[in-house]
Amino acid sequence: HLLQLAYLLFGDIFVLNARLDLLIQNEDISEKEIGQLQEMYGAVNKLTRLNKSLLLLTKIENRQFSETESVQLDQLIEEKIIQFADLISARNITIEKEIRPAELKMNHQLAEIVINNLLINAINHNHENGSITISLERDELMISNTGSPLIVDPGKVFERFQKSDHSEGLGLGLAIVKQICDRYNFIIRYSQNEDLHIIRLVF
């Protein structure tokens, strides 16, 4: 069903992009219409991200990421913190970390997706001038962030299309992380302590 939905979306996205490209080539277009077209392009971009996420979920479910290798999770986390430095700085978020060496046997691309999605989640659902704490042990990763109280059922945070009013995302980031964790029999848990949101991943 996910694959069928992804292919349907792909066709719709292709048609919408083609029509938008034709409209924007009109020399008589007004500034107001340009603004409306930009909003439409933004909506198409969201559909494109949704389509990619659905295809990724399908690939994970069908075990298409079968290759495994030794992944140095500590090094991967440090690389991703550097990669997201501009996003972190833009919101003046403080990073506290205690990262010990940890090695996992898994697909490297899926490991990257897990860390990407967890860090993006911690940044997007944070306050201005907030904080993120990252703790990595040999058999456990914990990422916590400050943020507004959760408005969805805490037991449903890893379900597809669950998102808060403050989120610009599609509600698939943590669902993808959960799917990968299930693939490798990792345990993932969410908890909340006042304005602190905590995700623990046990290998």
Side-chain angles (χ1 to χ4, degrees), residues 135-153:
S135 173
L136 176 66
E137 301 289 341
R138 184 180 61 84
D139 58 357
E140 182 177 348
L141 170 64
M142 184 196 77
I143 297 181
S144 64
N145 63 276
T146 50
S148 301
L150 198 67
I151 62 165
V152 299
D153 183 346

Side-chain angles (χ1 to χ4, degrees), residues 125-188:
H125 294 274
N126 218 317
H127 296 307
E128 295 286 335
N129 306 310
S131 65
I132 296 173
T133 300
I134 303 170
S135 173
L136 176 66
E137 301 289 341
R138 184 180 61 84
D139 58 357
E140 182 177 348
L141 170 64
M142 184 196 77
I143 297 181
S144 64
N145 63 276
T146 50
S148 301
L150 198 67
I151 62 165
V152 299
D153 183 346
K156 295 182 178 180
V157 293
F158 299 113
E159 292 184 8
R160 294 168 189 174
F161 305 111
Q162 293 292 330
K163 53 185 287 187
S164 73
D165 287 344
H166 308 286
S167 174
E168 292 293 327
L170 299 161
L172 282 173
L174 291 182
I176 291 171
V177 172
K178 179 65 165 61
Q179 191 80 34
I180 295 170
C181 288
D182 290 347
R183 166 76 175 79
Y184 291 100
N185 296 316
F186 299 156
I187 298 168
I188 187 165

